[in-house]
Amino acid sequence: MEIVADTLILLVVLQTALRLSQWRNNWLKMAFCIVVGIVVWLMTDYAVNLSKPQVEGWLHDTTILQNVAVVCILDALLSRLRWYPGLLIMPVAFYVLCQMLFTLTGVGFQTTGLLLAVGVAVTLWLLSKAMAWLLPQHADRSFLHIIITAVLCLTCLMAAQQTVTVYPMTQQNIIMEYISKALFGIANLLLIPDVILLIFFFIRSLVLLVTTYMQYMTRRRDGHTPLYDKYRKLLADHESDEAYADYLTAQMEAEAAKDVNLSRLLTKLGPVLGLIGTLISMSPALVGLSTGDISGMAYNMQVVFSATVVGLVISVVGLFTQQLKSRWYAIDVSRLEYEAQTNLQHHEKET
């Protein structure tokens, strides 16, 4: 676990430095580094009261490691926000602080905390500058950030994986035993991302339902969608031209398809993610049933049913909004084509 912890520390530091290197405001970078240093210094008193076995126990506690994996995945999802610096550097700095307090026994606790606070602030600042100098292109730093984030999430999931014995069919079938263990490990790695994606798409489906209702109220008031109003104004502001009318119609169809794509995605992803969560959770539930762990089996069965229900709700919302929006946009596209042809015929008569 020490190797895994050191790997996570290195990945988090590189990830934070890459995020800071993408900020254009140097004063904002400096302010974040100073804030991290202050937080490290304020955590010194709490770190002093901890014992080394307690910290080592955190590294071997499966529940804590699973929570860390969830936080890492949420941090990766939030990394798309422009000014989100990533907060994983805080627990990493706290862990390094605890290790330094246990190692530097001859140095005062406050002095160790102050030195680490200054070192963390300066190191993050210099690393962000080094990343910007080594990779001048913003796209290169973004690509490297995605790779490091993926490796970080995978490492956390592997550390949080519970070891469950897979019984082979025969003593001679050793290869099949290792293959079964590999498949079981891969399935366990996918459980936490699947649950997080289910929650994310469920929230997204609720937002989609609200925006669809607002579009419905607008269409009920005006008789058409805002997208039709936009392209009708573009058609009215331009001279009557058949090629331009066809271009506007194609553009409206493309933009309407883009709006409907989210509903199609939810329709297909909801049952898939729900089924994945159901099948993964069924395995530990059956193991609990075979070992007599009724409470563990009941907990896993709750996850099974919850994943199925949430996935189906996401699919229902996606299917409902897809059918509704597709009908709206089909009517508006036909109306725009009719108006374009009418304007063209009127212009030809005047000519």
Side-chain angles (χ1 to χ4, degrees):
M1 291 305 298
E2 294 293 339
I3 298 177
V4 175
D6 295 338
T7 304
L8 290 176
I9 291 172
L10 179 60
L11 292 175
V12 170
V13 171
L14 291 177
Q15 183 190 48
T16 306
L18 282 171
R19 285 180 180 174
L20 292 178
S21 66
Q22 296 175 1
W23 291 4
R24 297 181 179 179
N25 194 332
N26 291 324
W27 290 105
L28 194 59
K29 296 180 187 178
M30 188 179 297
F32 177 76
C33 294
I34 293 175
V35 168
V36 173
I38 293 175
V39 171
V40 172
W41 185 68
L42 293 177
M43 290 189 300
T44 304
D45 293 335
Y46 178 72
V48 169
N49 297 325
L50 296 177
S51 61
K52 189 170 183 179
Q54 187 173 359
V55 177
E56 294 294 334
W58 292 348
L59 297 178
H60 295 83
D61 191 341
T62 307
T63 303
I64 294 178
L65 292 177
Q66 288 178 347
N67 295 333
V68 171
V70 172
V71 172
C72 289
I73 295 175
L74 292 177
D75 185 81
L77 293 176
L78 293 175
S79 63
R80 298 192 59 177
L81 299 178
R82 183 177 180 184
W83 298 110
Y84 180 71
L87 301 179
L88 292 177
I89 191 65
M90 303 294 184
V92 164
F94 177 74
Y95 175 76
V96 175
L97 175 63
C98 293
Q99 295 299 323
M100 289 185 63
L101 291 175
F102 298 145
T103 304
L104 304 176
T105 55
V107 184
F109 294 144
Q110 296 298 327
T111 304
T112 303
L114 182 61
L115 290 175
L116 181 62
V118 175
V120 168
V122 174
T123 301
L124 287 179
W125 170 261
L126 293 179
L127 277 179
S128 64
K129 290 293 184 180
M131 292 295 178
W133 179 71
L134 293 174
L135 299 173
Q137 298 296 328
H138 186 274
D140 295 337
R141 295 199 299 271
S142 299
F143 178 74
L144 183 59
H145 177 266
I146 293 174
I147 297 298
I148 291 178
T149 302
V151 175
L152 176 63
C153 294
L154 183 61
T155 306
C156 290
L157 290 173
M158 292 178 63
Q161 179 183 355
Q162 290 185 355
T163 304
V164 180
T165 304
V166 179
Y167 297 97
M169 298 176 60
T170 61
Q171 293 294 331
Q172 293 80 14
N173 201 357
I174 300 176
I175 297 178
M176 191 60 194
E177 179 184 358
Y178 284 116
I179 293 176
S180 301
K181 287 183 178 180
L183 290 176
F184 189 77
I186 294 172
N188 281 342
L189 290 180
L190 296 176
L191 179 59
I192 296 177
D194 181 79
V195 173
I196 293 176
L197 287 176
L198 274 174
I199 297 174
F200 172 76
F201 283 116
F202 178 74
I203 296 174
R204 191 64 184 89
S205 64
L206 295 181
V207 175
L208 177 63
L209 200 60
V210 173
T211 55
T212 304
Y213 176 75
M214 295 174 63
Q215 290 180 355
Y216 167 75
M217 296 303 295
T218 303
R219 191 175 185 276
R220 183 178 179 182
R221 182 190 62 205
D222 301 334
H224 52 76
T225 59
L227 187 63
Y228 169 77
D229 193 26
K230 169 186 173 181
Y231 282 95
R232 186 182 64 176
K233 290 180 180 178
L234 292 175
L235 183 65
D237 295 339
H238 195 273
E239 296 181 359
S240 298
D241 186 4
E242 185 176 0
Y244 184 73
D246 293 340
Y247 169 75
L248 285 183
T249 304
Q251 286 294 109
M252 182 177 176
E253 289 178 349
E255 194 168 345
K258 182 179 179 181
D259 189 24
V260 180
N261 278 340
L262 177 61
S263 300
R264 293 173 180 169
L265 180 66
L266 294 179
T267 302
K268 297 176 180 179
L269 277 183
V272 172
L273 293 176
L275 181 61
I276 290 174
T278 299
L279 295 179
I280 295 176
S281 301
M282 280 293 294
S283 179
L286 294 176
V287 172
L289 179 63
S290 63
T291 58
D293 186 7
I294 304 300
S295 60
M297 183 193 71
Y299 171 77
N300 287 289
M301 292 303 296
Q302 286 180 352
V303 178
V304 168
F305 295 131
S306 300
T308 304
V309 171
V310 173
L312 291 177
V313 170
I314 293 173
S315 179
V316 167
V317 173
L319 182 61
F320 172 72
T321 55
Q322 177 187 350
Q323 296 295 328
L324 205 59
K325 289 186 176 183
S326 298
R327 182 166 57 87
W328 290 348
Y329 289 132
I331 295 173
D332 289 342
V333 168
S334 300
R335 188 180 301 173
L336 185 67
E337 290 177 348
Y338 172 76
E339 188 169 347
Q341 293 296 328
T342 303
N343 292 340
L344 185 61
Q345 292 176 3
H346 182 69
H347 178 71
E348 290 177 353
K349 289 181 181 180
E350 291 182 352
T351 305

